[in-house]
Amino acid sequence: TCVAAGESSHCGHCGTPKAEHQQSSTSQHLASPIAVFRAPPFSGHESRYPVRTTTSASPTTMRSAILLQFCGTAMAFMRPSALSPARRLAARSPAMASSSRLAALSSSAPAAAPVSEDALEPVPSTFPQCIAAAQKSTGAAIDEGYKLMEIEFPPLPTDFMESPECSAYDVSSANVRLAIDFAKSFATEGKRVAIMFPDRAESDRAIETHGADEPFTNIILRPLAGPAPGTTSSPVDIVMGLFGKQGGRNVNAVPDADMYICLVFSAQELPDLEALHMADPSKPLVMMNLKLDTLRGDLGLPAFPPKDLQYRFLSQVLPVYYLRTRTYSKSITKPPFLVNYQGALFRAFPGGWQSMLDVGGGKYRRVKLADERPALGVFKVDLGEALDLGDEGKVNTFFRQGYKTSTWWEDAKEEELHSIWRS
């Protein structure tokens, strides 16, 4: 017989009175019951997920039940339960938030780590804080004798960078403004800072935007490669440039510069940075917001520099200030079925590498602290484990994470000539 829902006097499926069901033949329904997932309304926390009930049904009812199951699952993904853990916490009542594992996670003490807490910088919340911390970290690295350094942080708000309105010109212009602000700290100390661009077209655009090739005292804008001033590119250089072959171009070092800041270089133009370092090895060279993690992935492909560039040159680059945010999704077998979470990998020299989980409200909680740079896949796993959503088993973990959680340049410890980029 049918199992009627609620306190209604009629069946919840066929609409007939319950009393008639007790007298009716069972041939009107299937002998074995099936599970029906009803999609509840969107109001109220107590009915935000599909409710599982057991009932007998006719073939027509079975088809309807399957459709309801599919719709209920789809709506569960569309509901606020698919939001990030921090936002779901904010939307819940205080009683529910207090019972949440994420609430306990965000209020618990940081895990112990060998790196001294005094050497750690807090995650910045504004661009001036980023610039000030990057200046401090770069100065400390220069004092220790490092010549090749990397600075990486979002040049624009993350929401704007992910929108279709954001163009490469917006990112480039923001990087130029940030580089000038960054260089002012060293320029006021009497150092002459050369902000280098890949070619004359990029430098001319920046000069036009800022009105002069020296927008601030002791800060100059210069092209790194290309024809010397007053000359033009040869036809061979133009054709080779179309195929990504930038080798052999004229690299223009700046004799009176005390340090270099390099902007908007692509993977094909990375050999020019190596040539600049070889031509002027005694001067600090800062690669600012080049996204080297992305550029490394292009090495070895057709029309790109070989992987050996990472082994001999990029492995020498010290990350003095690094802030990269990542957003992930994880499917689970219980409500809310899909969990969106995000975090940041943060490092300010001489501090260690901090894996930070976003707990909402612009706040981060450190879930791991390491002396050596973690692989991006390991960073993702660390954040997922910090959510503590339950053990999904070795098989499910394997199919979700895959065979490898690292890239070829993260695994190439034997091939690389230096390990500075990992420190």
Side-chain angles (χ1 to χ4, degrees):
T1 59
C2 274
V3 178
E7 301 297 330
S8 174
S9 61
H10 290 70
C11 176
H13 297 283
C14 58
T16 58
K18 294 180 183 179
E20 295 183 13
H21 274 299
Q22 298 175 357
Q23 303 173 358
S24 62
S25 171
T26 57
S27 62
Q28 296 178 359
H29 303 278
L30 294 179
S32 59
I34 63 170
V36 177
F37 286 82
R38 289 209 203 94
F42 286 161
S43 60
H45 292 289
E46 66 281 354
S47 61
R48 66 190 307 174
Y49 305 119
V51 180
R52 194 177 195 272
T53 60
T54 303
T55 182
S56 298
S58 64
T60 302
T61 306
M62 288 183 61
R63 290 192 293 269
S64 301
I66 295 173
L67 180 60
L68 284 171
Q69 178 180 358
F70 173 80
C71 295
T73 305
M75 284 186 288
F77 279 90
M78 297 168 59
R79 298 183 56 75
S81 59
L83 295 173
S84 66
R87 293 183 180 179
R88 292 204 312 275
L89 272 177
R92 293 180 180 179
S93 63
M96 297 182 68
S98 62
S99 63
S100 172
R101 173 61 184 166
L102 282 172
L105 205 165
S106 62
S107 60
S108 58
V115 181
S116 173
E117 299 286 337
D118 297 335
L120 297 177
E121 287 278 347
V123 177
S125 57
T126 64
F127 288 108
Q129 291 177 359
C130 277
I131 293 298
Q135 292 168 341
K136 178 181 177 181
S137 298
T138 303
I142 293 175
D143 292 341
E144 293 192 15
Y146 290 99
K147 301 301 180 184
L148 294 173
M149 290 158 284
E150 173 191 6
I151 294 176
E152 187 68 49
F153 62 86
L156 291 168
T158 305
D159 293 342
F160 178 72
M161 291 187 66
E162 295 176 352
S163 68
E165 290 79 12
C166 182
S167 65
Y169 177 77
D170 295 326
V171 176
S172 175
S173 300
N175 278 322
V176 175
R177 293 193 301 269
L178 293 171
I180 293 175
D181 292 338
F182 170 79
K184 288 179 180 179
S185 173
F186 301 95
T188 53
E189 297 175 356
K191 295 181 179 179
R192 191 162 178 81
V193 183
I195 298 179
M196 308 299 290
F197 297 88
D199 49 41
R200 183 162 296 280
E202 293 284 354
S203 64
D204 287 346
R205 185 180 298 112
I207 292 172
E208 180 181 358
T209 300
H210 294 275
D213 61 353
E214 189 170 347
F216 190 83
T217 305
N218 287 332
I219 299 177
I220 56 177
L221 310 179
R222 293 287 186 272
L224 173 58
T231 63
T232 58
S233 300
S234 66
V236 175
D237 292 336
I238 296 176
V239 174
M240 295 300 289
L242 295 176
F243 293 94
K245 303 296 184 180
Q246 304 290 356
R249 296 197 303 173
N250 180 38
V251 177
N252 305 314
V254 182
D256 60 340
D258 296 310
M259 68 178 295
Y260 297 102
I261 301 175
C262 300
L263 297 177
V264 297
F265 281 77
S266 65
Q268 291 96 335
E269 295 156 340
L270 289 178
D272 294 338
L273 297 180
E274 183 183 24
L276 174 62
H277 176 63
M278 295 177 64
D280 213 348
S282 62
K283 298 175 183 178
L285 190 154
V286 179
M287 305 177 192
M288 188 169 182
N289 290 346
L290 298 189
K291 294 187 177 180
L292 290 182
D293 285 339
T294 302
L295 301 187
R296 287 184 174 101
D298 294 333
L299 300 180
L301 298 176
F304 286 87
K307 294 182 179 180
D308 186 60
L309 184 67
Q310 160 66 19
Y311 303 148
R312 69 173 187 268
F313 175 62
L314 295 181
S315 60
Q316 304 180 58
V317 180
L318 174 70
V320 293
Y321 192 80
Y322 188 95
L323 175 61
R324 290 294 299 271
T325 58
R326 293 288 191 276
T327 301
Y328 303 109
S329 297
K330 183 177 181 179
S331 58
I332 56 178
T333 58
K334 56 186 178 181
F337 303 114
L338 183 68
V339 176
N340 297 328
Y341 61 100
Q342 61 184 10
L345 181 59
F346 179 60
R347 193 273 174 99
F349 183 85
W353 291 86
Q354 305 180 63
S355 297
M356 314 292 289
L357 177 65
D358 186 353
V359 295
K363 297 180 180 180
Y364 290 85
R365 177 190 178 270
R366 186 172 70 247
V367 299
K368 190 173 183 180
L369 179 62
D371 293 318
E372 185 174 291
R373 179 181 194 152
L376 293 180
V378 174
F379 166 70
K380 176 183 177 180
V381 172
D382 291 339
L383 292 186
E385 292 179 350
L387 295 175
D388 198 9
L389 298 175
D391 185 13
E392 58 185 349
K394 293 183 178 180
V395 175
N396 291 335
T397 300
F398 173 81
F399 282 106
R400 183 173 58 82
Q401 297 179 1
Y403 173 69
K404 291 178 65 65
T405 58
S406 57
T407 58
W408 64 262
W409 64 88
E410 292 169 334
D411 293 334
K413 291 187 176 181
E414 296 182 359
E415 291 85 352
E416 61 189 23
L417 302 180
H418 310 273
S419 61
I420 297 175
W421 78 282
R422 300 179 185 271
S423 59

